[in-house]
Amino acid sequence: MTLMKSLLGAAAAVALTAGAASAEPALVFDLGGKFDKSFNESAYNGAKRWADETGGTFREIELQSDAQREQALRRFAESGANPIVMAGFAFATALGEVAGDYPDTKFAIIDMVVDAPNVRSVVFNEHEGSYLVGMLAAQASESGTVSFVGGMDIPLIRRFACGYAQGAKAVNPDINVVSNMTGTTPTAWNDPVKGSELTKAQISQGSDVVFAAAGGTGVGVLQTAADEGILSIGVDSNQNYLHPGKVLTSMMKRVDNAVYDALTAGADLETGFNVMGLSNEGVGYAIDENNASLISAEMTEAVEAAKVKIVSGEIAVHDYMSDETCPALTF
């Protein structure tokens, strides 16, 4: 009897181990869709890279409303998905409700901190990367006015705008920086028409370089900039290819790396607070065949020198999230 119990126990342990090893990870996209050519798509690219390299598979869902957040997390957790990665700060409340109910499931949230023992919180130093593209904008500008179009008006997006303005003013203290947000609700992430309207208004104020940190709304910003003959700056993913020769650069926020790392770790995902910035290639700027003719050697040299100083601490880029003020820009 004892021997039989031992054998059955061993068999059960093997079965559980096999089940854990084969558990699929899951990825939950934020509103705007996985092919928004920006934040969500970067997350998808990271998962796809993991799948292509490992032959693994992952589950996914594109949300249609805020009300689906908690339901999606619970369904994935109940079905054994591990880890469950969510792209976006707006998952914080739902994750706070769900994580404690599934202590054996690992979760990763991007752009927000959720304090739970089974959660990895990944945040980015967006202000550092935005500072660098702000420098490029100021160097490329001929009018002395550059601009910024944000998505939803939240501190995270103001962090982009503030870093951008600081970088621009480091090159030209007298430069004029115009900033507008698309809206105050999640629909602001997917309104390319409003993005186009804001861009045209900024052009009328003299802007000849516009930086969009607005999710799917940014597609309208970049399109209008190309149509109107000014330069644009993409965000999150490398968006240079959308309008070759007309996108000055893209502020790379390596959401793809955050997702790739989480899926690679699998159920062994190390939880806690994880920061991605210039020092670990979490943010940066993109140069490729689509924009190489727009970025001179002198521009690159200046930006690379600033990058070294930011990493070393010699240049301290003010972080709007630290005290919600910005010395270089008035909101």
Side-chain angles (χ1 to χ4, degrees):
M1 187 69 172
T2 304
L3 177 60
M4 182 60 71
K5 284 185 177 179
S6 298
L7 290 173
L8 289 173
V14 170
L16 286 171
T17 302
S22 62
E24 283 184 300
L27 177 59
V28 188
F29 298 102
D30 208 344
L31 301 177
K34 70 178 178 182
F35 294 124
D36 62 356
K37 297 181 172 61
S38 185
F39 184 87
N40 282 328
E41 191 160 336
S42 182
Y44 170 74
N45 289 339
K48 186 176 185 301
R49 170 157 52 103
W50 170 82
D52 289 345
E53 290 182 6
T54 64
T57 57
F58 62 93
R59 306 178 211 177
E60 60 180 20
I61 185 171
E62 297 179 70
L63 300 185
Q64 302 303 312
S65 71
D66 281 316
Q68 294 178 301
R69 295 185 192 279
E70 183 172 339
Q71 181 185 52
L73 297 182
R74 288 192 183 279
R75 283 188 174 180
F76 278 137
E78 290 285 354
S79 66
N82 198 15
I84 300 170
V85 183
M86 60 222 72
F89 69 92
F91 287 95
T93 300
L95 181 57
E97 294 291 330
V98 171
D101 293 338
Y102 304 94
D104 296 327
T105 301
K106 299 290 182 66
F107 298 88
I109 183 170
I110 297 170
D111 273 353
M112 185 54 74
V113 177
V114 173
D115 186 13
N118 55 335
V119 173
R120 168 182 281 192
S121 300
V122 183
V123 297
F124 292 80
N125 289 339
E126 294 94 351
H127 53 302
E128 295 179 350
S130 296
Y131 184 99
L132 299 186
V133 301
M135 290 183 65
L136 291 173
Q139 291 176 91
S141 176
E142 296 179 356
S143 69
T145 296
V146 298
S147 58
F148 175 87
V149 174
M152 187 175 174
D153 189 1
I154 54 175
L156 175 66
I157 299 303
R158 290 190 175 202
R159 174 192 263 174
F160 280 90
C162 185
Y164 177 66
Q166 289 174 80
K169 289 183 178 292
V171 171
N172 176 8
D174 298 321
I175 200 165
N176 182 35
V177 182
V178 179
S179 175
N180 296 106
M181 300 293 179
T182 303
T184 58
T185 67
T187 60
W189 302 120
N190 195 26
D191 192 347
V193 173
K194 182 65 176 294
S196 175
E197 293 171 353
L198 290 173
T199 304
K200 289 179 179 178
Q202 293 176 345
I203 292 171
S204 72
Q205 296 176 70
S207 175
D208 60 355
V209 185
V210 57
F211 176 27
T217 298
V219 175
V221 175
L222 270 59
Q223 179 67 61
T224 299
D227 292 344
E228 298 293 328
I230 72 165
L231 295 171
S232 62
I233 297 174
V235 76
D236 295 338
S237 299
N238 182 350
Q239 298 182 318
N240 296 352
Y241 73 96
L242 292 176
H243 304 282
K246 298 181 179 180
V247 179
L248 178 64
T249 187
S250 295
M251 202 295 277
M252 297 287 286
K253 179 175 173 178
R254 300 307 301 268
V255 176
D256 59 329
N257 286 348
V259 173
Y260 176 87
D261 291 347
L263 269 56
T264 298
D268 295 324
L269 178 71
E270 183 178 341
T271 58
F273 187 56
N274 186 261
V275 181
M276 300 183 71
L278 284 179
S279 63
N280 57 4
E281 304 298 326
V283 296
Y285 63 100
I287 296 181
D288 57 25
E289 67 276 8
N290 295 301
N291 71 331
S293 63
L294 302 174
I295 308 288
S296 68
E298 291 76 17
M299 292 167 70
T300 302
E301 183 178 351
V303 172
E304 285 298 313
K307 177 180 177 180
V308 171
K309 291 180 179 179
I310 292 171
V311 171
S312 71
E314 185 176 344
I315 292 178
V317 183
H318 178 77
D319 180 2
Y320 182 87
M321 298 279 283
S322 65
D323 63 6
E324 298 197 356
T325 64
C326 183
L329 184 66
T330 300
F331 290 102

